[in-house]
Amino acid sequence: MSHPTKKKLISAVLELLESQSLETITVDMVLKHSGVSKGSLYHHFEDFPILLEESLVRSFTVSVDQTIVTIKPLLEGAKTKDDMLEILKKATRATQHPQQRATRFKRARIIAMSERSDRIRQALSVEQSRLTSALTALFVDAQNKGWMSTSFDARTGAVLIQAYTLGKIVDDVTADPLPPELWNDIIDRLIERVFCA
């Protein structure tokens, strides 16, 4: 995505997605918002749905990058098992926070769209694998230091922590959501009793 015009178009779609649903975004809206001509759009993208798909994947990539950039240096900076546990608890509170509801829904929508699009599924596969690999490496490092149990597969643990974050959507859609401290407490127990026992 190095060409400036392509960047403008994708940025325009991402900005429009802040206030519009994907289904309501039109070619004309993107062109007006980006200041790019229709000819340039079709020079860089075979068709409009491909622009939309690449924009969604870009959004997912940004989310993956933010997760890696936030968690990796924190865990790498831990000096003891207790440090690591505190960092994991803080990460839980950040990712499970009610203010992250929109982020969870955005990620879920993108993942759901991959069911019908091989292009999205293949692109997301690369990004999802990158995130899982980064988390797996952190778990393996913690296991090697004796801070995490070796009784579970590190990659499975990496998938599980992503699953419970995304799974918080189940509570996000209810009229009477759980108090955050109850949800965080069960995650803390999981971390302490399964990951770090």
Side-chain angles (χ1 to χ4, degrees), residues 90-156:
K90 286 179 184 174
T92 294
R93 275 139 190 81
T95 60
Q96 309 300 304
H97 197 281
Q99 290 177 340
Q100 292 299 315
R101 180 180 184 269
T103 301
R104 289 188 290 272
F105 274 97
K106 184 189 299 185
R107 191 175 271 193
R109 275 192 301 274
I110 295 168
I111 290 170
M113 292 183 78
S114 73
E115 180 184 15
R116 294 189 182 138
S117 169
D118 286 338
R119 282 191 306 249
I120 292 177
R121 186 171 44 258
Q122 289 169 2
L124 289 186
S125 173
V126 170
E127 296 306 317
Q128 188 59 54
S129 293
R130 192 165 59 89
L131 176 56
T132 300
S133 293
L135 293 171
T136 301
L138 292 171
F139 277 27
V140 167
D141 185 50
Q143 287 174 327
N144 289 338
K145 290 176 179 175
W147 298 349
M148 269 193 174
S149 171
T150 56
S151 66
F152 71 91
D153 175 71
R155 184 169 182 265
T156 303

Side-chain angles (χ1 to χ4, degrees), residues 94-109 163-180 183-184:
T95 60
Q96 309 300 304
H97 197 281
Q99 290 177 340
Q100 292 299 315
R101 180 180 184 269
T103 301
R104 289 188 290 272
F105 274 97
K106 184 189 299 185
R107 191 175 271 193
R109 275 192 301 274
Y164 69 64
T165 298
L166 193 58
K168 180 72 170 82
I169 288 176
V170 171
D171 192 50
D172 287 333
V173 299
T174 65
D176 184 25
L178 290 169
W183 179 255
N184 292 337

